Amino acid sequence: MPTTFPPPVRRITLDRTPTVVDPSVEPIRHTPVDRAHERGDQRERMTIDDLVVKYAGKPAVKGVTLPIRDQEVLALIGPSGCGKSTLLRTLNRLTELTPGATYEGRIALDGQDVRALPVTQLRRKVSMVFQQPNPFPMSIFDNVAYAVKEQSKRAPKKSALMPKVESALRRAGLWDEVASDLDRPALRLSGGQQQRLCIARALAVEPEVMLMDEPCSALDPKSTMVIEELIRELRKSLSVVIVTHNLAQARRVGDHVAFMYLGDLVEYAPAEQLFTDPRAERTREYVSGSFG
Ligand SMILES: Nc1ncnc2c1ncn2[C@@H]1O[C@H](COP(=O)(O)OP(=O)(O)OP(=O)(O)O)[C@@H](O)[C@H]1O
Ligand SMILES: [Mg+2]
């Protein structure tokens, strides 16, 4: 048997200590960055204008103005209790379901005040995925078909639903794992698969804006990577607003990042700028991990 030796090591004598250069701190982008995202000149899909949200008269969001641009990911970051979920839930009027919650200011979708839209129509266009995967206790097929059926006036047949179910499962990156048994109970899927099923359910109604409140915080790193890849894919066709406590994730997936603190919007900037050269001292402290 031939003996294998380790490769030879060549020792070089130096007359001074070499300088070790840090590897690039640039985040890894899995897909090429569209320059329009960096310029930030895409059309505004939603506009949040001087939004104040109160619970029983106590403000949780204090006059936030933000754009949600077409085909980009807006990441909302900030310490616990600073109003991220409240802001997100107000975008499709879910806060209206909380007794005592009120809001002032204006939220527009394509220039139209969201209060002027029928709420079902708004929630079809602006759909939401939550922190804990929450599939319905029914089959994989029915979970997605349910969302499609809700949008139809008459109950469509299974054969008519199939293409839409397949398309949503494909976009959510779950099709290959479940195609052979769509009748399997959704609750038997893994956590990461359940979350992708919830994303498929949200996509089935063909939304224009996808809201995600810490969608990966209950998931393992591998499922998190799959979902991050999916978010990057989704932004080619819609706008995504994601709340995350994971700063590396905000930097990886966000085109723009908004940093909130105690209900105020402290800074809104392109992701790279916010993490490498923030304008506000408070942002600098937060992104450097001084508090959280
Ligand atoms: N249903 C509610 N009733 C009363 N107060 C609420 C309600 N929901 C949230 N709040 C308050 O509003 C503020 C903002 O809460 P919110 O859930 O929006 O914060 P968050 O930034 O999403 O926090 P986390 O990172 O912990 O999820 C907090 O002070 C919270 O106690
Ligand atoms: Mg929250």
Side-chain angles (χ1 to χ4, degrees), residues 80-81 83-86 131 213-214 243 245:
S80 184
K84 305 177 296 296
S85 297
T86 301
Q131 179 174 9
D213 197 350
E214 301 187 47
V243 169
H245 276 281

Side-chain angles (χ1 to χ4, degrees), residues 166 169-170 172-181 184 193 196:
E166 177 176 342
L169 287 168
R170 279 193 189 281
L174 188 59
W175 176 252
D176 291 341
E177 287 157 67
V178 298
S180 61
D181 191 4
R184 188 148 50 112
Q193 289 173 324
R196 279 179 285 147

Side-chain angles (χ1 to χ4, degrees), residues 193-215:
Q193 289 173 324
Q194 287 189 14
Q195 192 61 304
R196 279 179 285 147
L197 180 64
C198 294
I199 293 172
R201 194 174 64 193
L203 284 173
V205 296
E206 292 167 13
E208 289 161 23
V209 179
M210 178 80 97
L211 310 175
M212 301 177 133
D213 197 350
E214 301 187 47

